[in-house]
């Protein structure tokens, strides 16, 4: 049975890097964060409807890539990310996203800490809200009683922690 691991957390916390490191280490498939690709193609500011489309495509891509997985599957972000993003930006979240979060079945969530330096990027919006956002992610995972571990430290330390958590809990 494939073990599914979601890499989650606020912006600029090393999710993409960690996802790629883990997928390469285990020689398996992963799904990229679709939001970057989607927003890069827009010729206008994104809207709340765009967040819904991003969530739907992220889930679709995840299901496709999961079919290629061996032993483990890694997801760079998941639907809790789109929920928190929508709530921060628009003070609400589309019901479809809320329903689909309940159906997610990741075996482990790796929550990336905010201890890496902020890296500016045109798609990143909240350098001043890092602690608040981290708290929202942690609360969401706790309230849903999901299996999660926090990874922190530099890039290599996060990778080593993630490997230990995967070996210990899965």
């Amino acid at each position: 049975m494939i073990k599914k691991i979601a890499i989650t957390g606020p912006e600029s916390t090393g999710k993409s890097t960690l996802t790629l490191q883990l997928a390469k280490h285990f020689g398996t498939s992963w799904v990229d964060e679709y939001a970057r690709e989607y927003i890069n193609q827009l010729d206008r500011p994104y809207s709340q409807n765009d967040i819904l489309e991003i969530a739907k495509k992220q889930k679709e891509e995840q299901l496709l890539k999961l079919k290629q997985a061996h032993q483990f599957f890694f997801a760079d972000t998941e639907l809790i990310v789109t929920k928190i993003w929508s709530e921060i930006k628009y003070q609400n979240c589309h019901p479809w996203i809320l329903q689909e979060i309940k159906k997610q079945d990741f075996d482990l969530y790796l929550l990336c800490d905010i201890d890496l330096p902020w890296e500016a990027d045109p798609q990143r919006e909240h350098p001043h809200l890092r602690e608040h956002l981290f708290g929202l992610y942690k609360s969401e995972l706790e309230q849903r009683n999901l299996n999660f571990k926090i990874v922190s430290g530099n890039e290599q330390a996060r990778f080593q922690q993630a490997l230990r958590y995967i070996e210990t809990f899965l």
Side-chain angles (χ1 to χ4, degrees):
M1 178 175 220
I2 305 293
K3 298 293 184 180
K4 294 175 276 190
I5 300 155
I7 316 302
T8 195
E11 338 171 274
S12 193
T13 56
K15 295 183 297 291
S16 298
T17 299
L18 182 58
T19 301
L20 186 56
Q21 286 176 313
L22 290 168
K24 284 185 174 182
H25 176 82
F26 288 104
T28 191
S29 65
W30 74 97
V31 64
D32 287 321
E33 176 188 19
Y34 180 68
R36 288 199 160 277
E37 180 182 335
Y38 184 95
I39 290 173
N40 280 340
Q41 295 175 17
L42 289 179
D43 59 357
R44 59 172 170 75
Y46 71 85
S47 68
Q48 190 169 17
N49 251 3
D50 291 318
I51 294 176
L52 175 60
E53 292 307 310
I54 289 166
K56 288 179 177 181
K57 184 67 172 180
Q58 184 76 36
K59 183 172 179 173
E60 180 184 314
E61 289 293 312
Q62 180 181 309
L63 293 172
L64 286 172
K65 298 285 179 121
L66 180 58
K67 293 176 183 177
Q68 304 165 12
H70 308 285
Q71 187 179 3
F72 295 104
F73 173 74
F74 298 94
D76 178 358
T77 75
E78 40 69 55
L79 295 178
I80 291 172
V81 172
T82 53
K83 175 189 183 287
I84 291 173
W85 177 17
S86 186
E87 289 174 345
I88 290 294
K89 183 78 171 180
Y90 299 104
Q91 292 71 56
N92 63 63
C93 182
H94 193 281
W96 183 90
I97 295 171
L98 298 175
Q99 282 303 108
E100 292 301 312
I101 287 172
K102 294 176 186 176
K103 298 175 188 175
Q104 290 191 141
D105 60 348
F106 289 101
D107 297 290
L108 176 66
Y109 289 77
L110 296 174
L111 173 58
C112 293
D113 203 346
I114 56 171
D115 58 345
L116 288 179
W118 174 267
E119 290 186 21
D121 173 315
Q123 291 187 20
R124 293 181 178 152
E125 302 175 308
H126 304 292
H128 56 290
L129 292 179
R130 294 182 90 189
E131 284 185 40
H132 175 67
L133 290 169
F134 182 80
L136 291 176
Y137 280 93
K138 189 171 183 282
S139 291
E140 189 78 28
L141 293 166
E142 289 171 341
Q143 288 171 7
R144 293 180 182 279
N145 201 30
L146 297 170
N147 182 22
F148 80 95
K149 291 292 176 189
I150 298 170
V151 291
S152 58
N154 66 28
E155 186 179 305
Q156 189 57 30
R158 287 167 188 256
F159 176 63
Q160 292 302 321
Q161 285 175 16
L163 288 177
R164 280 194 304 276
Y165 293 145
I166 291 166
E167 291 167 2
T168 303
F169 296 101
L170 303 179

